[in-house]
Amino acid sequence: MVGVNSTIEIAGLKLRNPVMLAAGVLGVTGFSLKRVAEAGAGAIVTKSIGIKPRDGYPNPTITETNCGLLNAMGLPNPGVEDFECELKIAKEGGVSVIASIFGASKEEFAYVGSVMEEAGADAIELNVSCPHTEVVALGQSPDLTSDVVETVKKGVDIPVFVKLTPNVTDIVLVAKSAERAGADAITCINTLRAMAVDVETGKPILANKVGGLSGPAIKPVAVRCVFEISKEVNIPVIGCGGITYWQDAVEFLLAGASAIQIGTAIAFRGLSVFKEITDGIQEYLSKKGYRNLKEIVGLSHKF
Amino acid sequence: MVGVNSTIEIAGLKLRNPVMLAAGVLGVTGFSLKRVAEAGAGAIVTKSIGIKPRDGYPNPTITETNCGLLNAMGLPNPGVEDFECELKIAKEGGVSVIASIFGASKEEFAYVGSVMEEAGADAIELNVSCPHTEVVALGQSPDLTSDVVETVKKGVDIPVFVKLTPNVTDIVLVAKSAERAGADAITCINTLRAMAVDVETGKPILANKVGGLSGPAIKPVAVRCVFEISKEVNIPVIGCGGITYWQDAVEFLLAGASAIQIGTAIAFRGLSVFKEITDGIQEYLSKKGYRNLKEIVGLSHKF
Amino acid sequence: MPFNRSNHSKFLNPPILHDKLRIVKIKEIKSETPTIKSFTFVDEKCTETSPGQYVMVWIPGIDEIPMSLLRELNKNLMIAVKSIGGASAALHELKKGDVLGIRGPYGHGFTSITGNIMIVGGGIGIAPLVPLTKNLANPPTKITFILGATTHEELLFLDKIRMELSKNDGRIIVATEDGSFGFKGLATDPIEQLLKKQKFDMIFTCGPEKMMKKMFQLAEQYKTPIQASLERIMRCSIGLCGSCMIGKFRVCKDGPVFSSEQLREVKNEFGTFKRDFSGIKVKI
Amino acid sequence: MPFNRSNHSKFLNPPILHDKLRIVKIKEIKSETPTIKSFTFVDEKCTETSPGQYVMVWIPGIDEIPMSLLRELNKNLMIAVKSIGGASAALHELKKGDVLGIRGPYGHGFTSITGNIMIVGGGIGIAPLVPLTKNLANPPTKITFILGATTHEELLFLDKIRMELSKNDGRIIVATEDGSFGFKGLATDPIEQLLKKQKFDMIFTCGPEKMMKKMFQLAEQYKTPIQASLERIMRCSIGLCGSCMIGKFRVCKDGPVFSSEQLREVKNEFGTFKRDFSGIKVKI
Ligand SMILES: Cc1cc2nc3c(=O)[nH]c(=O)nc-3n(C[C@H](O)[C@H](O)[C@H](O)COP(=O)(O)OP(=O)(O)OC[C@H]3O[C@@H](n4cnc5c(N)ncnc54)[C@H](O)[C@@H]3O)c2cc1C
Ligand SMILES: Cc1cc2nc3c(=O)[nH]c(=O)nc-3n(C[C@H](O)[C@H](O)[C@H](O)COP(=O)(O)OP(=O)(O)OC[C@H]3O[C@@H](n4cnc5c(N)ncnc54)[C@H](O)[C@@H]3O)c2cc1C
Ligand SMILES: Cc1cc2nc3c(=O)[nH]c(=O)nc-3n(C[C@H](O)[C@H](O)[C@H](O)COP(=O)(O)O)c2cc1C
Ligand SMILES: Cc1cc2nc3c(=O)[nH]c(=O)nc-3n(C[C@H](O)[C@H](O)[C@H](O)COP(=O)(O)O)c2cc1C
Ligand code: FES
Ligand code: FES
């Protein structure tokens, strides 16, 4: 693959490849994150971390659906103080570490963000989009979203990404409002608000009843969000949702994503998925005669 | 199955079984609707019909995704005047015929609704929720939705159902607002706004680029909508989205649906799906010792 | 009491058509007549097609249209496309190496039968009859193939049909409207004579609907079963959208090939009207 | 130029774990010790389980917890549950005919080996060692099984182990903390003597982590390979959520059974700390 360059720069972060780890997946401990980096990820995003430790919801926290997974973890995390040392271990992986954070208020977001910066995070990803916890429905409002972005931006010098939820009437509105407030990139999408009821017992399966749908099932929704947002904003869009094969990744790049994140596919295909997707993208670029990843970002817009 | 009663009454309509045909599927001609009735549907919903003929979008109007279908038909329909005779043929099927209608304004909705009533429709279903045409985004606003409901209700005596879109921040809000405006039932959900890009050519596959996602992939989103809405409104909820096996139908009933609609499953499993699902529900009721369909409607709420 | 169906878990596997769009490369393009070009490509999923089945062909960025499938040597597949409007004309502009999107194969094709067979094809409708002939052309089956075209040079696949029929003592009758080759007139003209003289076990037909309607009427009159391949507007091709209805049948899935019994059920529509893209009836 | 991978279409089939929750009916409940009950059920998907694998067991409306699988006669499966808290206590309340939700089997179980084998189980940790013993107990493999429990009546599955070992000349050594049966002391106590005297080809162990850590240290000292089955908080069990990490390993998927090499890589955590539900470290 002579001459094919599949590195990419997102808001100043240089990634060796565009295949990132998604937030909340294998992201609670430093060694776990480091392993994902070693498996070939271009950057790693931590579990969403809050100001205090949270146990999350009781089990079942996950259940399989048609071509997808439904989860309601409830944002379990050790709290930002305890997480600092994990972040340092994660950095040994040698790739950019993006700290996903959440909070009940913009002040909490700002505090957690600045601790993460000090601990060495290369960027912050604001999780304003978890579809099944009380604390993070902010992303459903363009105004609250821009509030949080502005406040966090004031407190840190590293880039700030905003992770958006598809559970809104107009995701482009929220994206634009985040951009205006100074966001350096948009990550989309988080999971779709969803649910499963067991037919045998009549009971909702997840302990929290409602959860978030991820995996191949939601890919078309995510592609649409990336397409629509990347047409309307000038900051990079990071695509996420159901990416499982390199073809899926290329689809997101064509739709307008500058990089992509992998979550559920790890359960379906293992950690080798990072290398396989990166290789697939490279091979695609090379066979198609492109020399640069950037050449295909948003290519579908011109049709 | 002695003693098991799987009939149900929705807003005064007596259905022999709760398994309805969803709007837009095999619903353009009278004979097609009649055939679905003969295949065992408890009620049939027509293609969404507007005031004037519409050709819809060019092909491709449909493409398969992971456990789902993506479509952007663009509401092709012969217009309400031409459709009257089709409706009359549909009624020969011997089950309730629900006329799905759309319009660019509440006046258009009201006009089409009253023509349908005259033509013999047993109920009206307002399609305020097609995710990929310019004309029917009303359902994304609680106010516009209630406006349409009120206006249509004034013009007709038959029950008026409202078909909601999941592409909103808070579907419960829209449902409540429809209820307040006088809606007799809520149908949910329509398709999820989604898209697919072909990796080989870089082109969006659907001619309209953006379409609506249906099928098993979206079931968990639909179940969640039914669960949340049926908790908050006192009118019947008709569940729709990805129902393919009788187990799916029972899941919707447990989640709070009084009846269900079948769309995409016809492509996956053929027209026998109506009878199979009806039989499955009956068998379930009987084995579980229920005597009445109503006993399981919303059962999951009590947990 | 728990409710377990024996095939519970199998039963609940997510249903998948496994019929996503595939991109294929055009290996060869050939002008078959002044208005018809053939396109050759390879597609794994279509190698098991039966005669009369079709694929949806996406001309990227333009349109998607139904096309009958021909199987050629070495797993090659062929479609023969008559340029009549937007999509088919765009197809004619493509070059070797360009790509198409394919989904399918779809539909209920011809049901083979042995005996004394009549095949009647008109214009581009001859395309699906070629693989049918290939399937049937084994003794003791006897084939009488009647081809019709506007003029000599528009006669499609005459060579292919000759080749198939050379294997047994098949007979070929050609009719052209301008008389430039074979009989002057319509393909249906010589047929009544044939039906009077011989007993046919089956008639297969594809072509203009008026022609097929005529064939159906003759078949009924002479108590001969018929299979006709119809056309209606196709969108989904998987029996869902209802664009392609004739009577209670979905041409995309219940058809495109219909039997005498089915044609009787839709005789008010067959040859009389079809529906346009909006669903409004138009005269045929 | 189009880009076709040879396995293009196969490659793109939607990936499915086919691992939806199944509802099973409890066929039998047995009190195995004052604190441990066994539950028998049938589940098609789990009939091919290997020793050391586990299922996630949903007690509807309560919780979902990991449980090792035992295979019994006639496709019956068994879990042995020690009542220690919310979910396990709720399980103990269930009656025959009640239902459980099952998903799995999950994880990487024990790797069988022939030769001179030592198996060391403590408390409820004996459960996964029973199917292992069943697999191993064929001559010429020689098994020395050391069981530990707090007291005589808490000794789990002694009869089952005796039965398996009756097939070859296996040896059983029992230790109870109160001396009410066998040696008085911990299961690990008699082991150093054994290791000094004989060369073992493999040690298998499951039980309290302190015990397993001790066994690991002994194994290292006597240059004997070991396989230990660990426990961490499990949520997804499919290697996704990261709740169950020990070092870089996911206990749910890379484990629960780990080899000497793996245990060396995590020796700072193994037996030292685990993480609670929030991910905070807690001492073991
Ligand atoms: C089962 C089947 C098999 C066919 N096989 C062949 C074949 O082997 N070779 C061949 O040349 N033609 C075949 N056709 C006909 C072919 O699909 C149409 O000629 C083609 O779609 C015309 O498209 P256009 O854009 O060029 O024409 P347009 O100018 O867009 O339309 C002209 C007419 O073409 C027909 N048409 C357009 N789009 C569709 C559509 N999506 N579905 C059905 N009809 C349409 C309509 O009658 C329309 O009025 C087949 C049709 C069917 C239904
Ligand atoms: C691979 C594996 C196999 C196991 N096999 C068996 C077995 O065969 N028999 C048996 O009795 N026990 C087994 N266990 C242990 C069993 O899962 C726990 O004892 C049980 O989860 C306790 O739940 P509780 O609600 O009763 O306890 P709680 O009171 O809720 O918690 C007490 C302790 O139990 C553990 N625990 C609780 N929930 C979980 C969880 N989701 N994942 C892991 N640990 C948890 C934690 O250490 C917790 O501190 C196994 C554990 C693992 C990891
Ligand atoms: C088990 C699990 C936990 C998750 N936790 C988080 C989280 O803490 N923060 C967050 O922003 N997103 C979280 N997500 C969402 C993912 O980051 C991602 O947006 C979503 O799963 C869609 O991508 P996928 O289909 O590749 O998984 C989680 C997803 C899963 C499956
Ligand atoms: C081909 C197709 C056409 C549709 N047309 C309409 C329509 O005209 N009006 C409408 O309200 N819904 C329409 N829908 C949405 C369905 O009625 C239904 O809400 C949706 O497909 C989800 O159900 P399913 O998963 O069972 O298909 C259409 C769906 C499909 C697949
Ligand atoms: S083309 Fe859609 S039903 Fe036939
Ligand atoms: S339990 Fe989720 S990764 Fe192991």
Side-chain angles (χ1 to χ4, degrees), chain A residues 210-289:
Chain A
V210 170
L213 186 64
S214 64
I218 71 167
K219 192 186 73 168
V221 176
V223 169
R224 184 266 299 175
C225 292
V226 167
F227 184 84
E228 291 184 333
I229 292 173
S230 62
K231 273 195 150 170
E232 300 286 334
V233 302
N234 294 310
I235 50 178
V237 174
I238 302 165
C240 179
I243 298 169
T244 311
Y245 299 113
W246 66 261
Q247 287 92 335
D248 302 323
V250 170
E251 185 175 359
F252 276 80
L253 297 168
L254 293 166
S258 299
I260 54 106
Q261 296 182 349
I262 307 282
T264 303
I266 296 173
F268 289 115
R269 301 193 54 227
L271 282 167
S272 60
V273 76
F274 290 97
K275 193 166 162 357
E276 281 163 25
I277 290 181
T278 303
D279 289 353
I281 296 173
Q282 282 238 332
E283 212 179 316
Y284 174 87
L285 292 173
S286 142
K287 294 228 174 161
K288 287 282 192 184

Side-chain angles (χ1 to χ4, degrees), chain D:
Chain D
M1 207 203 76
F3 179 54
N4 282 310
R5 259 184 123 104
S6 54
N7 55 352
H8 192 83
S9 67
K10 212 182 99 216
F11 203 59
L12 283 177
N13 283 346
I16 303 160
L17 292 170
H18 284 307
D19 188 27
K20 292 192 192 167
L21 187 75
R22 281 103 52 199
I23 298 292
V24 300
K25 192 162 123 179
I26 301 171
K27 282 179 72 173
E28 207 185 314
I29 302 177
K30 213 176 129 192
S31 283
E32 303 287 353
T33 81
T35 63
I36 299 172
K37 283 188 181 177
S38 68
F39 299 80
T40 307
F41 55 89
V42 176
D43 176 62
E44 205 56 48
K45 249 205 106 191
C46 284
T47 44
E48 295 299 305
T49 331
S50 64
Q53 286 195 296
Y54 64 98
V55 281
M56 290 300 285
V57 178
W58 181 43
I59 307 104
I62 310 279
D63 200 346
E64 187 189 43
I65 54 177
M67 285 290 146
S68 304
L69 269 179
L70 282 75
R71 281 163 70 179
E72 298 287 295
L73 290 177
N74 303 328
K75 293 197 164 190
N76 281 342
L77 298 164
M78 184 189 273
I79 54 174
V81 183
K82 187 171 175 84
S83 175
I84 65 152
S88 51
L91 245 164
H92 275 236
E93 296 299 310
L94 295 185
K95 305 269 160 292
K96 183 176 158 172
D98 285 344
V99 297
L100 296 171
I102 297 287
R103 56 187 181 98
Y106 292 126
H108 181 89
F110 293 105
T111 305
S112 287
I113 184 176
T114 54
N116 192 21
I117 303 294
M118 177 188 286
I119 305 181
V120 185
I124 185 71
I126 289 163
L129 299 172
V130 173
L132 173 72
T133 308
K134 191 181 280 180
N135 268 21
L136 296 175
N138 288 311
T141 291
K142 206 181 146 227
I143 296 177
T144 308
F145 201 126
I146 299 109
L147 292 86
T150 49
T151 182
H152 183 188
E153 58 182 3
E154 282 298 343
L155 266 171
L156 184 65
F157 292 145
L158 183 55
D159 49 342
K160 282 184 192 282
I161 294 160
R162 273 201 190 116
M163 180 110 96
E164 296 305 338
L165 294 192
S166 68
K167 292 175 201 157
N168 62 1
D169 66 333
R171 188 173 162 199
I172 296 179
I173 301 170
V174 176
T176 52
E177 290 174 32
D178 65 0
S180 52
F181 193 89
F183 283 82
K184 179 175 159 82
L186 298 175
T188 43
D189 294 344
I191 287 170
E192 187 149 13
Q193 291 307 318
L194 285 170
L195 287 169
K196 260 186 195 150
K197 272 189 274 181
Q198 303 175 39
K199 177 78 195 145
F200 287 90
D201 295 302
M202 182 64 77
I203 302 172
F204 295 97
T205 184
C206 184
E209 193 156 322
K210 281 278 180 229
M211 179 198 96
M212 292 194 285
K213 180 64 179 271
K214 178 84 210 244
M215 283 308 307
F216 172 63
Q217 286 161 339
L218 286 169
E220 291 291 272
Q221 190 182 332
Y222 290 93
K223 301 206 170 6
T224 308
I226 190 169
Q227 294 180 30
S229 180
L230 310 194
E231 287 186 14
R232 287 293 181 272
I233 299 293
M234 303 230 169
R235 286 190 175 103
C236 73
S237 296
I238 52 176
L240 194 62
C241 71
S243 304
C244 64
M245 303 305 297
I246 180 165
K248 70 174 196 183
F249 297 118
R250 297 163 296 184
V251 172
C252 71
K253 184 147 183 141
D254 305 314
V257 176
F258 290 96
S259 67
S260 302
E261 295 73 41
Q262 291 174 313
L263 293 170
R264 268 171 230 138
E265 288 193 67
V266 298
K267 64 169 183 287
N268 296 336
E269 294 192 26
F270 180 39
T272 309
F273 71 86
K274 55 184 183 178
R275 290 172 192 270
D276 69 8
F277 285 92
S278 75
I280 288 180
K281 294 173 189 174
V282 278
K283 271 192 73 159
I284 287 178

